[in-house]
Amino acid sequence: MIKNDAYNLADTVQMKKPHACQKNDWEILRIGADIRLKCMGCGHIVMLKRAEFNHKVKKVLTKANDPVNLKKELYVPKDKIMRPFLEQKNIEEEE
């Protein structure tokens, strides 16, 4: 188990048990109350509660800015991960 502040968006982590495809590398796609992970072997996406993730994670393999990640086929860079975007103009116009 690692600390909550040890991982960030687009980091790759190792879990305690491998996925069914026998890979144990997971990319963090979303961080919040739930954490969305993508298997770097087959691309399968799972969502875990933060407490469950903290219990199952073993260690951080690579950070988001590590060039090793770019060699992986299924890796999505941090700036390409979809994030909700709320425009301030729309909020101000509704008021």
Side-chain angles (χ1 to χ4, degrees):
M1 183 165 71
I2 61 175
K3 291 182 179 180
N4 288 346
D5 58 351
Y7 50 85
N8 291 310
L9 192 65
D11 289 351
T12 54
V13 295
Q14 180 181 16
M15 304 301 273
K16 290 182 180 176
K17 294 186 178 183
H19 188 237
C21 68
Q22 300 305 314
K23 284 287 194 174
N24 207 2
D25 298 356
W26 295 84
E27 179 183 6
I28 300 175
L29 296 179
R30 178 181 184 268
I31 294 180
D34 296 324
I35 295 181
R36 184 181 303 144
L37 302 169
K38 180 175 68 173
C39 177
M40 297 304 285
C42 64
H44 184 76
I45 295 177
V46 298
M47 197 112 159
L48 298 173
K49 301 270 186 216
R50 184 181 283 267
E52 186 179 357
F53 173 78
N54 287 335
H55 180 72
K56 291 184 175 184
V57 70
K58 191 172 184 180
K59 64 181 177 179
V60 175
L61 295 174
T62 56
K63 296 303 258 177
N65 56 0
D66 196 342
V68 173
N69 289 334
L70 299 177
K71 296 177 183 176
K72 296 179 181 178
E73 180 183 344
L74 296 173
Y75 181 77
V76 178
K78 186 174 182 176
D79 58 342
K80 302 287 185 195
I81 293 176
M82 293 291 295
R83 291 193 210 167
F85 179 72
L86 300 174
E87 293 184 23
Q88 291 296 328
K89 295 176 190 175
N90 292 344
I91 294 172
E92 292 171 2
E93 290 172 2
E94 290 176 3
E95 295 175 353

